[in-house]
Amino acid sequence: MIKIAPSILSADFVNLERDIQRVSSADYLHVDVMDGAFVPNITIGAPVVKSIRKCTGMFLDVHLMVDKPARYVEAFAQAGADLLSVHLEADHPTRIAEALRLMDRCGVKKAVALRPITKAEAVLPYLEQLDMVLVMTVEPGFGGQAFLESQLDTIRKVRNMIETYNPACELEVDGGIAPRTAPLAVQAGANVLVAGSAVYGAADIPAAIAALRG
Ligand code: DX5
Ligand code: ZN
């Protein structure tokens, strides 16, 4: 079963509660945290996640696009995140491992994320303990970018490694997911699709979510 994770990056932040309720037929709520250093954009922090936690029971899938993410694991876990994704490019491998240990200690699910430049094999040292791998299908930082078809090969490779080493691990893709690209990502092996503009830009949001699920 394919899961849909609407990204609130494309929501109206003044009407965030309303826009969260509008995607309640989806599976996860994807929260993009950007620090203005790992990526050029700045978005939201732990206090906003804490407020979101009060207004929805949805699974909060928090994508940390921040440098040295181990520094923020406890804050986002305490704010109510259900899963945290840390980018492999955001720190040295020992500190990424430390971030994952902190997630265990805080009781949140664990994911690592890959920028388009990062090879699929980079997930291998962590794979057996992960709940999810996030493969970026755009350069992280902004919504509304075009899907990078060159990432289909990375999705396929990560899917193969998941089947070998940790079949329960989910494979999420993020960036440029729309009715045309969703089936390409699913065929390559993704089972969780993040979608910002394709969901919030739709006239009928529940129909858009259902269409992406396929
Ligand atoms: C980009 C973010 C994405 C973004 C996706 O850095 O990680 O989650 O919101 O937006 P769309 O679906 O519009 O490409
Ligand atoms: Zn994201």
Side-chain angles (χ1 to χ4, degrees), residues 7 9 30-34 61-65 87 134 136 140 172 174-175 194:
S7 165
L9 190 59
H30 186 82
V31 181
D32 285 308
V33 175
M34 306 189 190
D61 158 23
V62 176
H63 179 189
L64 296 178
M65 285 163 276
H87 268 271
L134 167 51
M136 292 304 300
E172 181 178 62
D174 183 7
V194 176

Side-chain angles (χ1 to χ4, degrees), residues 120-192:
E121 291 74 16
V123 304
L124 270 176
Y126 313 98
L127 185 53
E128 286 184 19
Q129 59 163 314
L130 297 177
D131 298 289
M132 188 162 90
V133 174
L134 167 51
V135 174
M136 292 304 300
T137 41
V138 297
E139 196 53 53
F142 300 93
Q145 303 181 76
F147 182 84
L148 295 171
E149 298 211 7
S150 53
Q151 283 300 85
L152 290 171
D153 192 46
T154 302
I155 299 167
R156 276 189 288 269
K157 286 180 175 154
V158 171
R159 171 51 66 191
N160 283 337
M161 290 187 275
I162 284 175
E163 291 309 314
T164 305
Y165 297 107
N166 182 3
C169 182
E170 300 202 286
L171 204 178
E172 181 178 62
V173 290
D174 183 7
I177 296 295
R180 185 188 72 81
T181 54
L184 303 177
V186 169
Q187 276 157 28
N191 77 298
V192 183

Side-chain angles (χ1 to χ4, degrees), residues 17-197:
E17 183 169 12
R18 179 201 69 190
D19 277 4
I20 290 169
Q21 305 311 336
R22 282 183 173 165
V23 299
S24 59
S25 64
D27 303 280
Y28 298 164
L29 192 71
H30 186 82
V31 181
D32 285 308
V33 175
M34 306 189 190
D35 67 349
F38 181 72
V39 289
N41 203 359
I42 299 176
T43 56
I44 69 176
V48 177
V49 172
K50 192 173 176 188
S51 296
I52 292 171
R53 180 73 293 165
K54 289 183 192 150
C55 79
T56 180
M58 286 180 82
F59 183 97
L60 296 184
D61 158 23
V62 176
H63 179 189
L64 296 178
M65 285 163 276
V66 303
D67 273 338
K68 304 191 186 307
R71 298 178 293 166
Y72 299 105
V73 166
E74 282 166 304
F76 281 95
Q78 281 165 13
D82 291 295
L83 174 144
L84 295 174
S85 298
V86 291
H87 268 271
L88 292 181
E89 310 83 7
D91 210 341
H92 299 292
T94 52
R95 296 290 295 158
I96 296 298
E98 171 66 10
L100 295 172
R101 271 195 299 277
L102 284 168
M103 288 182 218
D104 268 339
R105 214 172 297 155
C106 295
V108 291
K109 292 195 170 183
K110 300 175 288 183
V112 299
L114 284 73
R115 294 184 101 119
I117 196 170
T118 303
K119 288 195 177 355
E121 291 74 16
V123 304
L124 270 176
Y126 313 98
L127 185 53
E128 286 184 19
Q129 59 163 314
L130 297 177
D131 298 289
M132 188 162 90
V133 174
L134 167 51
V135 174
M136 292 304 300
T137 41
V138 297
E139 196 53 53
F142 300 93
Q145 303 181 76
F147 182 84
L148 295 171
E149 298 211 7
S150 53
Q151 283 300 85
L152 290 171
D153 192 46
T154 302
I155 299 167
R156 276 189 288 269
K157 286 180 175 154
V158 171
R159 171 51 66 191
N160 283 337
M161 290 187 275
I162 284 175
E163 291 309 314
T164 305
Y165 297 107
N166 182 3
C169 182
E170 300 202 286
L171 204 178
E172 181 178 62
V173 290
D174 183 7
I177 296 295
R180 185 188 72 81
T181 54
L184 303 177
V186 169
Q187 276 157 28
N191 77 298
V192 183
L193 309 177
V194 176
S197 39

